[in-house]
Amino acid sequence: MLQGTVSIEEAASKRVLTGFRPTGKLHIGHLFGNVKNLVQLQDVTEVFVFVADWHMLSTDYDRGEELDVNTSDLVVDLIAAGLDPEKAVIYRQSDLPEVAELALYYSMITPLSWLERNPTFKEQLSELEERDISTHGFLGYPLLQLADITVVKGEVVPVGEDQLPHLELGREVVRRFHNLFGAEYFPEPMGLLSDASRVPGNDGRKMSKSYGNAIFLDDSPEIVQKKIRSYITDPQKIYLKDPGRPEVCSVYSLHELFTPPEDTAIVAAECRAGARGCVACKDQLAGNLNATLEPIRKRRAEAKQPGRVDQVLDLGFEKVKPIAETTLEGARDLVGVGNSRAARGKSGVLDGSTCSGHLTSNDQ
């Protein structure tokens, strides 16, 4: 097990949180990544799942008009994939101003060099050259992520391996916060690794919306079969009787996820012996994949009922808001702004007598 991570058995006794950027529909990589773990954990522990709309703006700040539709699609996908709003707390990030305020406090104490050394930051700058993301918001992405986690005092975060540096940075910032303000207030978040790296697209690369190689949860049976038929297989297996190498075949990688183990063993043996053609292998996989997606399609139809998404987000907000308020109240006290007007629950301008007094004093 990698440093900074926990097993799913350990996660079952801790508060779990993760978020999804509303940049498009979920695909089967997400299903075998974070979502599968979340669905399993929601029955045994506290699970918080948020729509990361502020995070989406860190790279797509000029595409805000897509947020409403993408948010709705994401919530529908999460419910269709098996998350139960009565068990998991599903909410929208931007509904909690406490997250932004907590991220501000973290930004005041985090050395710039800590953020600049983050490998994900450097990789994204290179991969998204067409986007101007040399911004304060993008550089500070890990601090906003840490605020998302710690505002509910999350202990475990289901992530891909590429996100582990963010969590390590988050733990360093939490330690610095505690050292500066003299209290052990926040848990240090640990990662729960997903199986997303095992889900290849039709080009052999990791499945990703940005690569255009994804099979989406709402794809029809016909589209699923068409996409599976387009998958690259072992380049050395040209004819049916040619012996194949399952270990280098993307179709076989998906068989390991969607085909029963006893059938997967037969697939591998027949492939190696040259007794199985790639088209038949793909069609068997498509059938198994569609069988997995069928209950998801049914739940999707229910989740798309008018008003259902708003109902889910309202329910999640009612559950998470008191937690965020309490957490921020304690953080404000530690930082030293606990007596601010916001902390005291006041708003608006000062009353007339107070204003008058200040003006008279200044005039003198």
Side-chain angles (χ1 to χ4, degrees):
M1 185 177 297
L2 293 178
Q3 184 178 3
T5 65
V6 299
S7 66
I8 194 163
E9 291 78 15
E10 292 172 306
S13 61
K14 301 182 183 298
R15 180 173 283 182
V16 177
L17 174 136
T18 196
F20 294 86
R21 283 160 46 100
T23 56
K25 300 174 182 179
L26 296 186
H27 52 68
I28 61 173
H30 296 115
L31 184 65
F32 275 89
N34 293 346
V35 177
K36 180 182 176 183
N37 286 333
L38 294 171
V39 171
Q40 181 175 342
L41 289 167
Q42 69 180 347
D43 289 323
V44 294
T45 193
E46 296 175 289
V47 171
F48 293 77
V49 182
F50 65 92
V51 178
D53 48 354
W54 280 335
H55 284 302
M56 181 267 200
L57 292 176
S58 68
T59 55
D60 296 83
Y61 46 79
D62 56 345
R63 298 171 181 169
E65 72 280 357
E66 301 173 5
L67 272 174
D68 282 346
V69 172
N70 285 353
T71 294
S72 181
D73 286 344
L74 175 56
V75 173
V76 168
D77 273 344
L78 291 172
I79 298 172
L83 281 177
D84 183 347
E86 297 295 332
K87 297 176 181 178
V89 182
I90 303 173
Y91 60 98
R92 180 169 33 216
Q93 181 187 35
S94 61
D95 284 342
L96 293 182
E98 293 84 1
V99 171
E101 185 173 341
L102 189 54
L104 174 66
Y105 298 148
Y106 290 143
S107 73
M108 298 300 185
I109 66 170
T110 303
L112 188 60
S113 61
W114 289 14
L115 297 171
E116 291 176 331
R117 78 183 185 211
N118 179 17
T120 307
F121 171 69
K122 298 174 182 177
E123 290 167 8
Q124 289 286 290
L125 283 179
S126 174
E127 291 178 5
L128 299 176
E129 289 182 345
E130 76 282 1
R131 306 287 298 160
D132 181 11
I133 56 173
S134 298
T135 62
H136 173 270
F138 186 70
L139 179 64
Y141 182 106
L143 300 183
L144 182 59
Q145 184 182 60
L146 179 62
D148 291 317
I149 300 165
T150 54
V151 81
V152 300
K153 296 194 173 180
E155 299 169 283
V156 173
V157 186
V159 292
E161 193 169 332
D162 61 331
Q163 289 289 307
L164 289 181
H166 281 196
L167 289 184
E168 176 55 34
L169 172 60
R171 288 191 292 274
E172 291 184 63
V173 174
V174 166
R175 292 179 203 125
R176 184 173 175 86
F177 185 95
H178 292 161
N179 288 336
L180 286 170
F181 303 118
E184 298 295 314
Y185 188 61
F186 296 113
E188 293 186 15
M190 304 292 284
L192 173 63
L193 288 179
S194 71
D195 292 328
S197 60
R198 296 175 54 204
V199 184
N202 62 356
D203 54 3
R205 293 184 293 178
K206 179 180 176 180
M207 188 170 291
S208 171
K209 288 174 286 191
S210 60
Y211 294 156
N213 65 357
I215 297 173
F216 296 100
L217 300 187
D218 71 340
D219 281 345
S220 68
E222 295 76 19
I223 290 177
V224 168
Q225 183 171 37
K226 181 178 179 180
K227 288 183 175 180
I228 292 296
R229 283 281 187 95
S230 70
Y231 263 69
I232 297 173
T233 56
D234 179 0
Q236 292 185 16
K237 183 173 172 59
I238 300 174
Y239 301 104
L240 187 152
K241 293 184 179 181
D242 291 340
R245 299 170 297 167
E247 64 274 8
V248 303
C249 179
S250 297
V251 172
Y252 182 74
S253 295
L254 292 183
H255 269 298
E256 291 184 305
L257 297 174
F258 294 100
T259 300
E262 60 275 13
D263 293 338
T264 303
I266 296 173
V267 169
E270 292 183 350
C271 179
R272 294 185 195 281
R276 167 180 288 258
C278 292
V279 173
C281 191
K282 290 178 178 181
D283 286 347
Q284 180 184 359
L285 171 62
N288 292 338
L289 176 49
N290 274 319
T292 300
L293 294 179
E294 192 53 36
I296 294 176
R297 295 179 183 120
K298 291 180 179 178
R299 286 193 294 264
R300 165 179 292 280
E302 297 172 0
K304 293 192 73 171
Q305 294 297 316
R308 178 58 173 156
V309 168
D310 288 340
Q311 181 186 44
V312 168
L313 292 176
D314 287 347
L315 176 63
F317 174 77
E318 290 172 5
K319 292 179 179 179
V320 73
K321 181 67 171 178
I323 297 172
E325 288 179 333
T326 301
T327 300
L328 188 62
E329 182 180 350
R332 282 170 170 163
D333 287 338
L334 290 171
V335 171
V337 297
N339 200 39
S340 67
R341 292 185 64 82
R344 289 181 283 128
K346 298 181 181 293
S347 60
V349 299
L350 299 173
D351 60 56
S353 60
T354 305
C355 289
S356 175
H358 279 299
L359 289 172
T360 302
S361 175
N362 290 339
D363 286 345
Q364 291 175 346

